Amino acid sequence: MIVLNTCHIREKAAEKVYSELGRLRRYKEHRANSGRPMLIAVAGCVAQAEGEEIVRRQPLVDLVVGPQTYHRLPEMVARVARREGRALAIDFAPEEKFDSLPQASSQKGPTAFLTIQEGCDKFCTFCVVPYTRGAEFSRPVTQIECEARRLVDAGASDITLLGQNVNAYRGEGPSGGAWSLADLLRLLANIDGLARLRYTTSHPRDMSDDLISAHRDLEILMPYLHLPVQAGSDRVLAAMNRQHTRDDYLRLVERVRRARADIALSSDFIVGFPGETEDDFNETLTLVRGVGYAQSFSFKYSVRPGTPAAASKKQIPDDVKDARLRALQALLSEQQNEFAKTCERRTMPILFEKPGNKRGQAIGRSPYLQVVHADDAETCIGEIRDVYIEQAMSNSLKGILVEHLKHRIAVH
Ligand code: SAH
Ligand code: SF4
């Protein structure tokens, strides 16, 4: 059985599914001819959004399963295996899913992800998420705490809480009442054996005072925040229905930095949103210069059928989008390099995750989520060690274990 887990956020990602299915068709036919049948499932948000259309375009698909119904997969596979026809499950029932997924976690190793929230009620005019993932839903606190403890018991010491709108979290507390993300973080911070907490993705409008204070109070909360702004012009932000202005965002960044001076910021950007003028785009550049990002993700606006912006008559030509994306990415990568340079000659706690390509080398993450390589560190995998950063490379940092550094000084 092959499962294609799919993304619908931009057109390119969605189209890849069909080209991949074309390739798999030959493989499936070849196997069928030699008496070794196989199943093909399409899962994820393309499955959710396109449903039966997938089977119409590519009849070799046996199962179509949306993100809200993964727990039905075993039953669906059994049905197809009994030759009862194709199976399709794309309804919305998030509570049921979390209640029915197996408790045993397949995640092993020092870093883990934990979904605490799904869906979105914000309806940015470019975005498919509210349609593919449905309304905001938060898992109850106790369920999350149990899962976090299980992950830590299985070896995790760095947990990232996940949600499409993670800071809109409002989950049922242990004795009723709704808990915020900040409340939840304060609880999880006490789990023995857990060293690092992160959360993603946040919406600027939901960055509440108590969440900002958590960045000041909780040592365990890593100094890295992904806070997408998308664009720098008020006109475009309003047309996107982002529900905040440029100034709101800049003031928010200031407040977050006041709470935690060393916090590193990252963001998502969209260039070429319908109606975006050269002046609007320049405001994105000036916002980026004003904030200074450690890391960023930037995209050309992609028309998503069914979203309000798709119907706009003011679509931007592709060559203009290309030029803007190049200009923005040049600035963002300059900032990323600058940030990496500021890490040189500093000592940072690195959580080592896996062996590197070179013998004895290990790869880990800094508090700011940067990839760090160190030689002779293989025995440190699963542990946090102090590393002296020698050099910033294009997408990673090179360091040396502080204990080796002392040895090196002694030898010289
Ligand atoms: N909830 C998060 C983002 C989730 S989608 C937020 O509000 O910030 C992840 C990113 O994909 C978005 O931040 C946006 O930059 C990008 N994206 C979403 N729809 C897009 C589209 N139609 N075209 C281009 N990029 C898009
Ligand atoms: Fe999409 Fe994020 Fe806007 Fe929700 S808040 S509609 S997920 S971009």
Side-chain angles (χ1 to χ4, degrees):
M1 176 164 168
I2 291 181
V3 181
L4 292 187
N5 195 17
T6 62
C7 177
H8 198 242
I9 197 84
R10 283 172 293 277
E11 188 181 3
K12 230 192 203 157
E15 273 309 309
K16 260 196 216 160
V17 179
Y18 290 105
S19 60
E20 193 63 16
L21 285 174
R23 211 174 56 79
L24 288 175
R25 190 181 75 187
R26 285 196 296 279
Y27 185 56
K28 185 174 179 177
E29 283 166 356
H30 175 72
R31 283 188 60 114
N33 291 339
S34 52
R36 292 177 303 151
M38 64 178 280
L39 299 181
I40 295 183
V42 179
C45 290
V46 175
Q48 187 67 42
E50 308 214 345
E52 289 190 44
E53 173 69 10
I54 296 183
V55 181
R56 204 188 55 73
R57 276 181 69 173
Q58 191 47 272
L60 69 85
V61 172
D62 303 286
L63 300 102
V64 176
V65 57
Q68 270 66 245
T69 36
Y70 289 152
H71 53 292
R72 293 205 206 126
L73 205 47
E75 166 201 324
M76 292 168 72
V77 172
R79 216 162 35 175
V80 177
R82 288 196 302 268
R83 299 181 192 280
E84 289 171 13
R86 291 196 187 86
L88 192 91
I90 51 171
D91 37 341
F92 285 97
E95 325 77 346
E96 197 193 324
K97 174 177 80 178
F98 287 113
D99 289 343
S100 327
L101 284 173
Q103 291 211 336
S105 168
S106 57
Q107 299 190 41
K108 292 254 157 24
T111 54
F113 294 105
L114 199 174
T115 298
I116 65 165
Q117 183 278 340
E118 286 196 323
C120 178
D121 295 340
K122 299 217 165 48
F123 292 91
C124 299
T125 55
F126 53 81
C127 184
V128 289
V129 171
Y131 312 97
T132 52
R133 306 305 296 259
E136 278 175 12
F137 166 79
S138 297
R139 297 176 70 189
V141 169
T142 309
Q143 208 182 76
I144 295 168
E145 188 193 358
C146 291
E147 191 167 330
R149 288 189 187 278
R150 275 201 303 275
L151 290 168
V152 171
D153 288 343
S157 48
D158 181 332
I159 294 184
T160 303
L161 306 179
L162 294 180
Q164 270 96 42
N165 261 276
V166 75
N167 58 346
Y169 177 86
R170 296 299 286 170
E172 187 195 335
S175 43
W179 279 35
S180 67
L181 177 60
D183 298 331
L184 181 67
L185 288 165
R186 286 177 201 275
L187 175 81
L188 299 181
N190 296 319
I191 295 181
D192 269 349
L194 185 61
R196 295 177 164 188
L197 268 173
R198 309 172 186 275
Y199 61 90
T200 199
T201 290
S202 295
H203 192 287
R205 215 195 59 181
D206 295 318
M207 241 12 246
S208 61
D209 289 341
D210 66 340
L211 186 53
I212 295 175
S213 307
H215 280 277
R216 183 194 58 215
D217 303 337
L218 300 178
E219 187 88 26
I220 194 171
L221 194 52
M222 288 295 99
Y224 179 91
L225 178 64
H226 184 57
L227 195 60
V229 65
Q230 315 296 357
S233 121
D234 281 339
R235 231 175 50 79
V236 173
L237 287 170
M240 286 177 163
N241 188 31
R242 287 294 288 180
Q243 305 173 40
H244 64 79
T245 62
R246 170 194 179 95
D247 196 48
D248 294 335
Y249 184 86
L250 292 173
R251 274 187 289 131
L252 175 58
V253 166
E254 226 178 84
R255 277 163 56 219
V256 171
R257 283 186 167 145
R258 236 180 284 135
R260 178 92 202 223
D262 69 333
I263 203 156
L265 293 173
S266 73
S267 175
D268 295 341
F269 298 91
I270 295 178
V271 300
F273 183 80
E276 184 189 67
T277 63
E278 235 8 79
D279 284 347
D280 292 323
F281 173 63
N282 279 327
E283 291 201 51
T284 299
L285 296 179
T286 57
L287 180 136
V288 170
R289 286 198 193 95
V291 174
Y293 289 98
Q295 170 69 276
S296 278
F297 307 89
S298 44
F299 317 98
K300 290 193 281 183
Y301 168 71
S302 168
V303 175
R304 306 313 289 126
T307 60
S312 168
K313 299 268 178 311
K314 296 180 272 179
Q315 301 294 333
I316 305 293
D318 209 45
D319 56 332
V320 176
K321 287 188 203 172
D322 277 327
R324 290 181 188 168
L325 189 64
R326 271 199 304 275
L328 176 62
Q329 289 186 338
L331 175 60
L332 291 170
S333 88
E334 202 179 290
Q335 292 195 339
Q336 186 175 335
N337 294 338
E338 260 168 43
F339 178 71
K341 281 273 171 214
T342 65
C343 298
E344 285 183 344
R345 293 179 301 283
R346 275 178 62 188
T347 297
M348 288 201 250
I350 304 302
L351 172 58
F352 285 100
E353 292 174 16
K354 54 182 181 192
N357 290 335
K358 259 173 60 187
R359 228 184 124 154
Q361 192 185 53
I363 300 178
R365 295 268 179 184
S366 75
Y368 310 109
L369 220 49
Q370 297 145 299
V371 174
V372 179
H373 303 255
D375 290 340
D376 302 320
E378 215 172 24
T379 53
C380 305
I381 291 171
E383 293 170 17
I384 296 179
R385 293 292 182 89
D386 278 343
V387 171
Y388 177 77
I389 304 300
E390 296 178 297
Q391 198 188 353
M393 328 265 273
S394 54
N395 279 310
S396 63
L397 303 174
K398 187 176 174 309
I400 173 169
L401 288 174
V402 164
E403 58 211 66
H404 290 171
L405 189 65
K406 285 179 189 147
H407 178 70
R408 196 197 273 174
I409 292 166
V411 169
H412 291 299

